[in-house]
Amino acid sequence: MTSSDASPESSGIRGSKPYVVATAFFALLAIVGFALYGLPFFYDFFIKEFGWSRTVVTSGNALGKLIIAPLFGFLAGWLIDRYGPRKLMLAGSLLAGSALIGLSMMNNLGMFYFFYILNALGYVFGGPLPCQVLISRWFEKNRGKAMGIAYLGIGTGGAIVPLISTTLEKNIGWHLALTMIGVMVILFSFPLAFFLKESPRKPVAETRKEPDIPVSKILKNRNFYLLAIGSMCSIGAVGGVNQHLKLYLRDQDFSQSNSATIMSLVLLSSLAGRVLMGMLADLFPRKYDMILIYIIVGASIPLLLMPDFPGRLYIFAVIFGIGLGGDYMIIPLMAGDLFGVKMLGRVMGIILVADGIAESLSPMMVGALYNEALRSYTFGFTVLIAIALTGALIVSFLPRQGTLSENQPKQ
């Protein structure tokens, strides 16, 4: 029996809905939580050892996303729609893990960029895109809850990786610590995907009998651009803060362990955000859930600019973490409402390219706006606030619900 005709009844636990959610959970934990959110912990070590600027250490993520996202984003979506997400998840696991191992051994800027490109490729093939399609194919009624549970992997991975990294760095140095994180990425994400039976016997898209919609029609629909640009704004704001949070905390004279605690609290709070926003997405029109998330992101950043008071950064970590928790998860849910599950891989392939560009350029912008003399992020973070709230405004013009065929004006 092939994976394409496997069903929960015929394939046992490997083809059950809990196994599907668990596979997505651990893939996101490793490839996003560890490989994406774990790397900024090592930025100050890169700066100290190689003498690079803040713009340079954040440019690796930018270069990887700017090269890989446009070249492979739509291709990955097409391959997933045609062949299923399993094989790409396996490739992504190996690429992301190998990238971190390579970064632990690099000693020049060329190698730094090369391994960041591999990491970006692992993210595209094994991260949110295939997991979103996998969940959407298996779930319809409780898709928001299932997506929320799977996306808990990002928060779990992001919460524990700074603590693991701190302990490893203290005992074996940052080089071997990063090597061990890369090995963990493969161990957490590869085995479950390897044994996965990825498609139910009657996929949701077939059950709903969604029509085939040409990509050209999607690209002519204004809702596609509202969703893409709105999500770019929020993802850009989140990426700009995340990539600089460790460096910001070090400017505040936080120790390595205290910095790791704040970073972990952000991702720990994102767990609550994912569950909460996933539940709200099943109860209310997802447009309003999306606006709420973007407002939470924009409203949390000013706490980084306020005069210090007891608990300020912990309050920021909780609020920002809740917004972060729902940010990535709500985009595929909204895309599925607007364009249908059958086209979700291709639609998200394009949108993730746009989001990847925003996520990669935003930290570089913040780094360029950083005031070295005053050790101040004021200007850069203020720009991020404006960007996040602009995203909420743009999303407000989306329809409450309905697929492309329902919203597209008849020609």
Side-chain angles (χ1 to χ4, degrees), residues 26-27 29-30 34 160 164 183-192:
F26 280 102
L29 178 148
F34 274 32
I160 64 177
I164 294 173
V183 172
M184 291 179 194
V185 167
I186 297 173
L187 292 178
F188 280 128
S189 58
F190 190 89
L192 285 173

Side-chain angles (χ1 to χ4, degrees), residues 113-283:
Y113 287 137
F114 173 76
F115 288 117
Y116 252 105
I117 288 173
L118 284 190
N119 193 40
L121 194 58
Y123 179 88
V124 170
F125 283 172
L129 177 57
C131 292
Q132 291 162 1
V133 175
L134 183 67
I135 294 294
S136 296
R137 287 187 174 185
W138 278 85
F139 292 87
E140 183 173 18
K141 182 179 179 181
N142 295 310
R143 189 181 301 156
K145 294 184 181 69
M147 198 80 75
I149 294 170
Y151 266 66
L152 291 177
I154 297 178
T156 303
I160 64 177
V161 71
L163 304 178
I164 294 173
S165 298
T166 299
T167 302
L168 290 174
E169 186 275 328
K170 187 180 299 183
N171 289 281
I172 59 177
W174 77 263
H175 293 278
L176 287 177
L178 190 51
T179 298
M180 293 302 299
I181 297 298
V183 172
M184 291 179 194
V185 167
I186 297 173
L187 292 178
F188 280 128
S189 58
F190 190 89
L192 285 173
F194 182 81
F195 293 106
L196 175 69
K197 298 294 185 181
E198 63 186 353
S199 298
R201 182 166 54 192
K202 294 182 179 180
V204 171
E206 292 181 13
T207 303
R208 293 175 60 183
K209 297 181 180 180
E210 294 175 353
D212 286 319
I213 302 171
V215 174
S216 59
K217 189 174 183 181
I218 293 174
L219 295 177
K220 292 178 182 178
N221 186 271
R222 80 177 190 113
N223 293 331
F224 171 80
Y225 295 98
L226 291 173
L227 180 61
I229 297 172
S231 65
M232 285 178 70
C233 289
S234 187
I235 295 296
V238 165
V241 172
N242 269 327
Q243 293 288 309
H244 284 274
L245 183 57
K246 171 72 178 300
L247 299 175
Y248 169 85
L249 293 170
R250 295 293 282 162
D251 282 349
Q252 306 298 309
D253 298 322
F254 273 58
S255 66
Q256 294 288 348
S257 59
N258 287 338
S259 298
T261 299
I262 295 293
M263 295 171 72
S264 294
L265 182 57
V266 169
L267 275 299
L268 189 64
S269 299
S270 76
L271 299 178
R274 294 183 206 284
V275 173
L276 175 62
M277 297 306 169
M279 293 175 61
L280 291 177
D282 284 336
L283 295 174

